[in-house]
Amino acid sequence: MRRVAAIDCGTNSIRLLVTDLGPDGTAHDVVRDMRVVRLGEGVDRTGRLDPAAIERTVTATREYALTIGEMGVDVVRFCATSAARDAENAGEFRAAIHAVLGQDPEILTGDAEARASFLGATSELGPDDAVVVDIGGGSTELVRGVHGEIGSAVSLDIGSVRLTERFLASDPPSITEITDLVDHLDALLAPAVAGWEPVERFIGVAGTVTTVAAHALQLSSYDSERIHGARLPVDQVREACLSLVQMPVVDRRHLPFMHPGRADVIGAGALILDRLLELAPLATDEVLVSERDILDGIARSAAETQPSS
């Protein structure tokens, strides 16, 4: 049994997982935490990480470092994704995190991000013949698995924060804004899925998908047990997506399952999911929702690649 700490630093949120991993692949989670720090705020426009966003992320990392120090962790792995990948001043971010953790954050390539998402999502659900979709704040990963192996992986620069900043200026978004965003998504997603064989299992992961699932289920609060492993009809998921896109932010904030740091950007993320369900060749009429995602993949790969002391 190894105790592993994984930190996933995305465009919108930073998350910590401390988990005990057995040699047989079993996992016992000790801590799961998420903070919305919006590291990627403005990066799509400026190409740089804002100093205030870096400081918000460093503050959360300090708190995570204290938790890790109390937990007797064997391995720590900190990974950053789209925002850090895109920013020309990522070196400032790297130095700030090193000062807190004593190690550099890994800035994952799009391909590595996709593969970590697939590993995390399929760790419990099984890897065979599945497409894993991870919609983040800055990018979306599409990973096709065949017979337990990754057949293809693509990372697209479309995410909830990036596209909200670029397309959805009004609250609620205007018909013109939504139409422009749909056209943009279709131009990117259609070529990405054009060569796919019919999808037998469509697995959605990460906060956009789990929030859409909570909306589709009309939950009275965010309930991980009901969301993880939920099998939802495609039509029901798409209806929930379009409902969120058209809803004013104040109404989204009043939804009992909505994280306050996600309310202003969930519409763009939901529209990514809707268009993907429209364009992908589906041989299934349901979406399988997983709360295991890139964070779990980071933890498992850290345990596999770093030998026991």
Side-chain angles (χ1 to χ4, degrees):
M1 186 76 70
R2 304 192 70 193
R3 178 159 290 186
V4 177
I7 299 174
D8 165 38
C9 185
T11 299
N12 195 45
S13 63
I14 185 170
R15 300 181 299 154
L16 169 68
L17 169 63
V18 178
T19 186
D20 293 330
L21 295 175
D24 58 352
T26 57
H28 175 70
D29 294 351
V30 181
V31 172
R32 276 188 187 263
D33 188 77
M34 188 269 282
R35 316 282 176 90
V36 173
V37 295
R38 200 151 296 178
L39 176 64
E41 184 173 19
V43 168
D44 186 65
R45 176 176 52 84
T46 67
R48 296 179 60 83
L49 298 171
D50 184 88
I54 294 176
E55 183 55 36
R56 290 194 298 268
T57 307
V58 169
T59 297
T61 303
R62 288 194 189 101
E63 295 172 1
Y64 285 169
L66 290 174
T67 299
I68 290 168
E70 295 169 352
M71 291 288 173
V73 168
D74 300 309
V75 179
V76 179
R77 189 180 183 204
F78 184 118
C79 293
T81 54
S82 178
R85 192 162 61 230
D86 292 348
E88 62 184 42
N89 63 334
E92 298 173 21
F93 167 73
R94 185 182 289 110
I97 296 301
H98 189 281
V100 174
L101 283 182
Q103 65 185 62
D104 282 347
E106 299 175 53
I107 299 180
L108 299 181
T109 65
D111 182 72
E113 183 178 355
R115 291 172 182 273
S117 294
F118 183 84
L119 175 61
T122 59
S123 59
E124 291 182 5
L125 300 176
D128 290 347
D129 300 331
V131 166
V132 173
V133 175
D134 183 342
I135 300 171
S139 66
T140 292
E141 281 64 51
L142 311 173
V143 194
R144 188 75 190 256
V146 180
H147 304 306
E149 299 293 334
I150 294 176
S152 64
V154 61
S155 179
L156 301 172
D157 285 336
I158 51 175
S160 60
V161 175
R162 186 191 299 272
L163 296 184
T164 298
E165 292 180 351
R166 191 183 295 187
F167 288 94
L168 305 182
S170 304
D171 179 24
S174 68
I175 295 298
T176 298
E177 289 171 344
I178 293 173
T179 300
D180 288 346
L181 179 49
V182 167
D183 290 344
H184 177 71
L185 289 171
D186 288 1
L188 293 174
L189 289 171
V193 304
W196 284 4
E197 294 295 323
V199 176
E200 300 288 343
R201 288 201 308 162
F202 186 105
I203 304 174
V205 305
T208 288
V209 175
T210 57
T211 302
V212 169
H215 191 43
L217 291 166
Q218 299 183 332
L219 297 183
S220 59
S221 63
Y222 192 90
D223 186 339
S224 296
E225 291 188 3
R226 289 195 62 187
I227 291 170
H228 181 59
R231 297 177 181 272
L232 302 175
V234 168
D235 289 347
Q236 184 179 346
V237 172
R238 295 192 65 191
E239 182 180 348
C241 288
L242 296 178
S243 169
L244 289 168
V245 171
Q246 298 171 54
M247 192 180 295
V249 172
V250 66
D251 291 347
R252 296 176 191 163
R253 292 192 193 282
H254 286 142
L255 294 171
F257 51 78
M258 181 68 67
H259 190 285
R262 204 178 300 284
D264 60 332
V265 297
I266 187 65
L271 201 55
I272 296 170
L273 178 58
D274 173 75
R275 298 315 301 159
L276 190 54
L277 290 170
E278 169 69 19
L279 296 169
L282 300 181
T284 177
D285 60 0
E286 64 182 19
V287 174
L288 177 56
V289 182
S290 174
E291 288 225 327
R292 305 293 180 258
D293 55 26
I294 184 174
L295 184 61
D296 301 81
I298 290 168
R300 288 181 178 275
S301 58
E304 292 169 0
T305 58
Q306 298 189 37
S308 301
S309 56

